[in-house]
Amino acid sequence: MLRALCPVETLYVGQRSRAVLSTALRGRVDAGALSAAFDAVTRAHPSLRTRIVPDGDGFALRLLDEAERPRLATRTGTEEDAWATELNTPLPVGGPLSRAVLVSAPEGEEHLFVLSVDHTITDGHSSIALNNEIWDRYRALVEGEAGPGAGAADARGDSGYSRHATASSASGAPDASGALKASGALEAAVEEPGWPVPVSRLLPDADETATAAYLARRVEETRAHPVELLPYDVPPGSGDGRIEVCRLTFDEERTTRLRHSARQAGVSVHALICAVLLITARRRLAGDEPRTLGCLSPVDLRSRLSPPLSAAVMVPAVTTHRQAVEVGGQADPVALARTVHARLSDFVAGDGPHHEMRITPEIPRNPALQLATVIATNMGVVAGPRLPDGLQATDVRLAPAREQYFPQAGRSPVMACVVSFEGRLAIEFPYFTACFSPSFVGALRDEVQDGLAAFADAAEPAAAPAS
């Protein structure tokens, strides 16, 4: 059975990028119950048990055989080694688009659960919701509740789910070996739980002329204002690299203070983070004069689709906003944050997000449409998993990883993945060691931390509201 990928989803096929979400745990974990919970979630979300296959001029998702579907893997090891190993273990080409691993310390009281999902079928919001759904089902199993995870499954409702396969799966489309599918494909398609509807099909109707004009304007903007990237500090040919992540964290009190300072300045926390990132990046370029830098902000589309999608729906429902700004060596972070905030707010308030999604197929031909000096994702404030008594989540992390890096390019954007689990800010800086060195990214992280801490610590303690 096939489900054709839409243009937005197809963009991720070549990137080989994935969301890597980890939950550090203290206490006893019933590996059998966790395995059953993961199996139940993969049954509820067909995309998790698929592979990507060619489909005409594009690609499609193809359900895996029962023996091939992903299962929970368990092993013994340390949290640090487990995180590094999973970051650097790709989802296999032609294999499952999801992986779940539980790594336990030898004494059995410390664990790390790592969930990896291909970005072709997920975004940050749905990967977080998926992780929480797994633990909801686990909690129901170990506490003996009937119908574990029913609430999470029911929350999908009709928001973007189809009870039938796409036309390609019902019409005898060739499978990976080129043979026609069996005549019972249509019956199987009807019985299969609903595929998530591609985001491209949920966009409102648009005037093709307006979309073409939007594309022309965007292309002209990128030509008129080319942005600078950060040069790699690792010499070419220095050997094989690996994915590492440098991390910045604030406790709940300092996070609350930062939000208060942002409100006082009339900007969002996201805009403030972007401004500090841009100024920190500017310090890595020569001279003191203004330089044109780019800031790319992913924008969640779920509330802007028809019907709106809940975070439980497993699709990449995100577009981007790119802006070019002039940043001098002595730039004022508040003024820069106000510029970033105003431009992003205008974009979100208008029809820009829908237009940006529609021109996605043009990105491979015009990569400058998404070229930026800094990329700042932001999931906002989200809840962590709800666990049974006797088991505690000591940390939750979300970081992107991909399989293709290009040291030979000599320069690239830097990425910051921002998420506040349970009201505590964390910024993950993923990088490839054949491009940027740990000392380079560590120094960048420290400067960003100092810049944000200056705003957080300027807030009066009494003025900071409760989280």
Side-chain angles (χ1 to χ4, degrees), residues 419-435:
V419 61
S420 297
F421 284 105
E422 306 294 354
R424 296 182 292 273
L425 176 73
I427 306 179
E428 309 277 359
F429 296 90
Y431 64 100
F432 195 60
T433 59
C435 300

Side-chain angles (χ1 to χ4, degrees), residues 10 14 28 81 149 155 165 200 224 241 244 249 255 331 342 366 443 452-454 462:
T10 299
R28 180 180 178 274
D81 288 344
S200 300
E244 295 189 0
T249 59
T255 301
N366 294 281
L452 294 176

Side-chain angles (χ1 to χ4, degrees), residues 29-32 34-35 71-77 100-104:
V29 175
D30 184 332
L34 184 57
S35 179
R71 306 284 185 181
L72 176 71
T74 60
R75 65 175 185 266
T76 301
V101 178
L102 177 69
V103 181
S104 302

Side-chain angles (χ1 to χ4, degrees), residues 39 42-43 49 63-71:
D39 286 347
T42 59
R43 284 194 299 271
R49 46 190 168 88
L63 280 177
L64 296 163
D65 296 335
E66 186 66 18
E68 299 175 297
R69 65 180 296 177
R71 306 284 185 181

Side-chain angles (χ1 to χ4, degrees), residues 450-462:
D450 290 345
L452 294 176
F455 285 103
D457 295 344
E460 293 293 332

Side-chain angles (χ1 to χ4, degrees), residues 10 16 32 36 75 128 150 153 166 169 194 206 219 230 285 287 296 302 317 350 357 363 375 438-439 466:
T10 299
R16 296 281 296 151
R75 65 175 185 266
I128 292 170
T166 59
S169 58
V219 171
L230 290 191
L285 300 173
L296 188 74
R302 291 176 182 269
M357 182 67 85
I363 291 174
I375 301 172
S439 60

Side-chain angles (χ1 to χ4, degrees), residues 88 234-244 405 407 432-436:
N88 287 278
V234 176
S238 297
D240 296 334
R242 57 185 283 107
I243 302 170
E244 295 189 0
Y405 293 85
F432 195 60
T433 59
C435 300
F436 293 114

